[in-house]
Amino acid sequence: MEFLIVRRLYARDHLDQVLATFGLILFFELLPGVLIAPYAGVVADRVNRRTVMVFGNAGMIGGALVVLLATMGDRVNVWTLYPALVITSVAAAFHAA
């Protein structure tokens, strides 16, 4: 997913801005999942696994839809992408737990 976002941004901005944006995209996508993973494991142990996986899938689908809708237009607003990537990362941590 990151590649498609960066490719879309590359057509619009200069390379140095795209690299900084790519770094922020990776930061907002990877760090929340790493930080929430231990707590997601505890929740997955105490709650029905099927329920955790359903909510994890729903969060990942919701985040992916927000990213899709944010990148479909002519102008890509990266500040709308960051919360969607955080939601997707947290949902993926719960799904993997």
Side-chain angles (χ1 to χ4, degrees):
M1 183 165 35
E2 302 92 8
F3 175 73
L4 296 174
I5 296 169
V6 171
R7 192 173 126 201
R8 177 88 171 149
L9 291 172
Y10 182 72
R12 185 189 69 153
D13 290 335
H14 299 292
L15 184 60
D16 56 345
Q17 293 173 346
V18 171
L19 293 177
T21 303
F22 184 64
L24 285 172
I25 287 171
L26 287 178
F27 175 78
F28 283 112
E29 189 171 12
L30 296 177
L31 188 65
V34 169
L35 293 177
I36 202 77
Y39 302 108
V42 170
V43 170
D45 288 340
R46 295 177 189 231
V47 180
N48 186 6
R49 287 191 188 268
R50 183 175 182 171
T51 305
V52 172
M53 288 182 67
V54 165
F55 283 110
N57 281 337
M60 289 189 299
I61 290 169
L65 285 176
V66 170
V67 170
L68 175 71
L69 293 174
T71 56
M72 280 181 65
D74 292 336
R75 299 182 63 146
V76 178
N77 188 1
V78 293
W79 294 106
T80 58
L81 295 177
Y82 298 146
L85 292 173
V86 169
I87 290 169
T88 305
S89 176
V90 170
F94 277 98
H95 178 74

